[in-house]
Amino acid sequence: MALIPSPNFQITHYKERKWVSTILEGCLDKRQAFNNWMERDILFAKQVKEECEHNKKLCIINDGSKTKEKIMDEIKEQFKLK
């Protein structure tokens, strides 16, 4: 089971995190560095999704359309915690 962000969700929420500027502090082109970082993470999420599909495991994609409670309910159900 995996929980991954959609690309738009990931980028939108990372832009809001205060510590991102600290991570990019030493980069000459901060915009390009951020874009490279997001592209890497998006590709990683894509790989995780493909592995879940291949292994017939649940992969929840958080695109912001579900509440945290709804996502938690899906996770609890998957692990039979409900």
Side-chain angles (χ1 to χ4, degrees):
M1 193 238 132
L3 172 62
I4 60 173
S6 70
N8 288 335
F9 184 89
Q10 176 181 314
I11 292 167
T12 298
H13 287 273
Y14 264 74
K15 285 181 178 180
E16 295 173 359
R17 295 179 175 158
K18 294 177 183 178
W19 52 265
V20 168
S21 60
T22 303
I23 300 295
L24 301 174
E25 196 172 280
C27 300
L28 295 176
D29 186 342
K30 291 172 180 43
R31 183 181 309 211
Q32 187 60 52
F34 181 80
N35 289 340
N36 290 346
W37 180 10
M38 293 300 99
E39 183 178 334
R40 182 206 62 186
D41 284 8
I42 289 166
L43 289 172
F44 179 72
K46 180 180 176 187
Q47 179 65 35
V48 169
K49 182 177 183 277
E50 288 172 1
E51 288 181 22
C52 284
E53 289 170 352
H54 176 76
N55 293 301
K56 296 179 177 61
K57 300 293 181 187
L58 177 65
C59 182
I60 299 170
I61 300 172
N62 184 6
D63 63 4
S65 65
K66 296 178 184 175
T67 65
K68 288 184 243 181
E69 293 77 20
K70 175 67 176 156
I71 292 171
M72 283 303 300
D73 285 345
E74 290 181 37
I75 293 168
K76 287 175 185 176
E77 186 175 315
Q78 178 67 23
F79 289 104
K80 297 178 181 21
L81 300 173
K82 275 181 117 172

